[in-house]
Amino acid sequence: MQQNWTEKKERGSEFLLRFIVWIAKTLGRPATRALLYPITLYFMLAAADSRRASVLYLSKVLPHKPRWRDVFRHFHSFSSVVLDRLFFLLGRADLFDVHVMGDAYDAADSATTGNGVFLMGAHLGSFEVLRLVARKHDAVQLVLLMYEENAKKIGALMAAINPEAQQEIVSLGNLSAMLVVKDRLAEGAVIGILADRILNDEKCFTTPFFGRPANLPLGPFKLAAMMRRPVFLMVGLYQGKNRYDVYLEKIADFGDADLSGREKTTAAIEAAMRLYVERLEYFCRLSPYNWFNFYDFWQNTTHD
């Protein structure tokens, strides 16, 4: 039986986190990045399950059989994005070369006109880079929806890095969370959620992802439909060194959709989720080393 991603033990501790934060603040980004090479090598060698998951994913997205250096680059990209999260939270936008691609700013304008929207992300690139895009919109209220355990970890992370950068985090799984979301949407907030991982027995939607059936949580999109709000996909792709490319695309508008009846509502939700997955595939092919689900994403399927 495959291990659920929520059951994987974290490698590290609050002490280690605070130590890394201290190094980053003291030595700066270039020196801290140099430490990523031995750290990446260690975790690549020690985390056998994650290494196998990397090979499985890369075999689907790369034009060639994954090599050792491909797996190392995959792990190193993840390490780089995790490190940069520290500097995003420290407000060091000056360290990064962020390219907002296409009509992302236009989409951001549409998403921040006082009517609340949902921003669906994934464990693809950096979601924290959204902070830099949001700098153009001083009035943006960002609220993050997370599973309870992740909410606690992120709260501890932010407190360790920069207490002044704290933002509202709502734990999923209870009625009060839905009431908070409803209130924040009415205030024009942007509700951010990573919509690619299933928690335990959560209801899911099965759809092809790189040619194999994959399960995704229905909850985030059902919530957006229930609230009758637009849904945007946000992806911040790490391109090496200090560059990030940010994409923001509208993938559904449940305010305009015909949701009269259960069948039409289900069809609208499933259409939005298919488009979400299609765009994830596109961005994975565009920047293949940005997929950071280091577990078997196709757990219930048979592999070649």
Side-chain angles (χ1 to χ4, degrees), residues 19-41 72-88 95-97 126 237-244 290 292:
F19 179 64
I20 293 174
V21 171
W22 178 83
I23 292 176
K25 288 181 176 179
T26 304
L27 301 182
R29 187 172 181 268
T32 311
R33 273 180 61 82
L35 298 176
L36 291 183
Y37 290 96
I39 292 173
T40 297
L41 180 61
F72 182 85
R73 182 176 175 183
H74 192 195
F75 274 72
H76 188 266
S77 294
F78 174 65
S79 301
S80 299
V81 168
V82 171
L83 174 63
D84 287 345
R85 180 186 297 177
L86 305 181
F87 293 101
F88 289 145
L95 298 176
F96 300 97
D97 181 21
S126 172
L237 299 177
Y238 174 65
Q239 302 295 3
K241 297 183 179 179
N242 69 335
R243 174 166 173 164
Y244 285 84
N290 274 257
F292 299 145

Side-chain angles (χ1 to χ4, degrees), residues 14 18 89 153-164 166:
E14 185 176 346
R18 292 183 181 277
L89 292 173
K153 292 175 182 177
I154 294 298
L157 172 70
M158 295 175 68
I161 297 171
N162 184 6
E164 295 180 0
Q166 290 276 16

